Amino acid sequence: MIVRKSRSELEAMREGGRITAACLRLLSENVRPGITTKELDRVAEEFIRGRGGRPEFKGYEGFPASICASPNNMIVHGIPGNYRLREGDIISLDVGVRYEGFVTDSATTVAVGEVPAETKALLDVTRRCLVAATEQVRAGGHLGDIGHAIQSVAEPEGYGVVRDLVSHGVGRRMHEDPQIPNYGKRGTGPRLLPGMTFAIEPMITLGTYEIRLDKRDGWSIYTADGSLAAHYEHTIAVTEDGPWVLTREEPESAEKSA
Ligand code: MG
Ligand code: MG
């Protein structure tokens, strides 16, 4: 069942979303050669708690940290640790904040110093996938429109769209119905209705869409072919007035839409 939120519940999620967004900005500002992912995790946890939120990832199914930090060919779910960022890396940072009973979930991929043009293009296409998907988070549309939009941006340009990990409903729980594949057919799946809230998260690779779980830690997910991967995510509400991106810092009304 897809849980719909009331206007006041969406407002609460919006407040939490500001914390999530500010946390990701702070992390991005701290990304530099030499910093460890564990240090980034500490920055995030202190910030989230200082703003009255709770890092939702910590303890989630036993996950040991407040953020996911996934460098280079790691797609998602990286456990922060002693990995030290290097010039030319990319690092995907994923943050979930619980605030006033609701979760918001957002991610970004950041270049560490100068990166090759091919890497910049990967980040760019993944951002464009998220923008295209956001436009489909609208009342009257279908769930399949979202994945279709992502696939239609990435695949014609030769990128891989990860299939075994999905976008998802989000609200009182981090993972609610529905699961939303990042590929699909337009006009298929449930109708989108006001009050639905989704964490839309394209994961795009320079290679194929196959993935590999690191069995040593049980969390880290890599591209199977070792290619670079990028990951951007926003929590977005369906409203009467169009998509409402909840995980942004700047004031934004539903009226102004995406
Ligand atoms: Mg996330
Ligand atoms: Mg998510």
Side-chain angles (χ1 to χ4, degrees):
M1 191 189 64
I2 305 176
V3 180
R4 295 167 66 186
K5 285 79 180 175
S6 68
R7 190 71 199 192
S8 65
E9 288 173 330
L10 291 183
E11 297 288 349
M13 288 183 75
R14 179 71 182 95
E15 281 307 304
R18 284 201 177 90
I19 300 170
T20 305
C23 182
L24 276 176
R25 179 178 50 81
L26 179 63
L27 289 175
S28 300
E29 290 167 359
N30 274 276
V31 164
R32 60 180 181 274
I35 195 166
T36 64
T37 52
K38 190 161 62 182
E39 289 171 302
L40 292 173
D41 183 64
R42 192 171 58 236
V43 166
E45 178 163 9
E46 283 178 14
F47 178 80
I48 293 166
R49 294 193 192 280
R51 290 279 296 263
R54 207 183 79 198
E56 179 69 5
F57 296 175
K58 197 157 199 177
Y60 185 90
E61 294 182 3
F63 191 78
S66 295
I67 65 169
C68 296
S70 310
N72 300 325
N73 62 334
M74 196 192 290
I75 307 167
V76 287
H77 301 171
I79 300 172
N82 295 325
Y83 184 79
R84 213 171 272 287
L85 298 184
R86 286 179 297 219
E87 177 87 18
D89 280 354
I90 54 173
I91 179 77
S92 294
L93 302 164
D94 196 345
V95 171
V97 172
R98 180 173 290 276
Y99 183 79
E100 291 185 2
F102 288 94
V103 178
T104 51
D105 187 6
S106 187
T108 189
T109 302
V110 183
V112 184
E114 273 304 306
V115 298
E118 183 187 53
T119 307
K120 283 182 190 157
L122 172 68
L123 304 191
D124 178 65
V125 74
T126 312
R127 276 191 296 262
R128 285 188 282 121
C129 284
L130 182 53
V131 169
T134 300
E135 288 166 3
Q136 300 305 318
V137 181
R138 51 187 171 80
H142 288 268
L143 204 65
D145 301 348
I146 295 171
H148 177 78
I150 292 169
Q151 193 175 19
S152 300
V153 169
E155 286 187 350
E157 297 182 35
Y159 295 95
V161 179
V162 171
R163 296 187 171 216
D164 290 344
L165 300 159
V166 294
S167 299
H168 55 94
V170 60
R172 291 202 181 272
R173 289 181 297 119
M174 181 156 66
H175 293 116
E176 297 186 345
D177 289 341
Q179 294 199 352
I180 309 169
N182 292 315
Y183 63 96
K185 284 202 172 66
R186 201 194 296 276
T188 62
R191 282 262 180 209
L192 304 185
L193 299 169
M196 292 179 174
T197 45
F198 304 134
I200 304 294
E201 48 181 318
M203 288 153 266
I204 307 296
T205 80
L206 279 180
T208 68
Y209 58 71
E210 278 98 10
I211 65 173
R212 174 177 68 79
L213 172 71
D214 184 342
K215 293 195 183 65
R216 291 167 306 175
D217 67 23
W219 282 102
S220 310
I221 293 177
Y222 293 86
T223 55
D225 60 9
S227 62
L228 288 182
H231 176 215
Y232 288 82
E233 177 179 30
H234 271 308
T235 296
I236 305 164
V238 182
T239 80
E240 309 278 5
D241 312 305
W244 190 12
V245 179
L246 302 174
T247 41
R248 277 193 181 144
E249 276 189 274
E250 69 268 26
E252 186 210 24
S253 67
E255 288 72 27
K256 281 206 295 180
S257 112

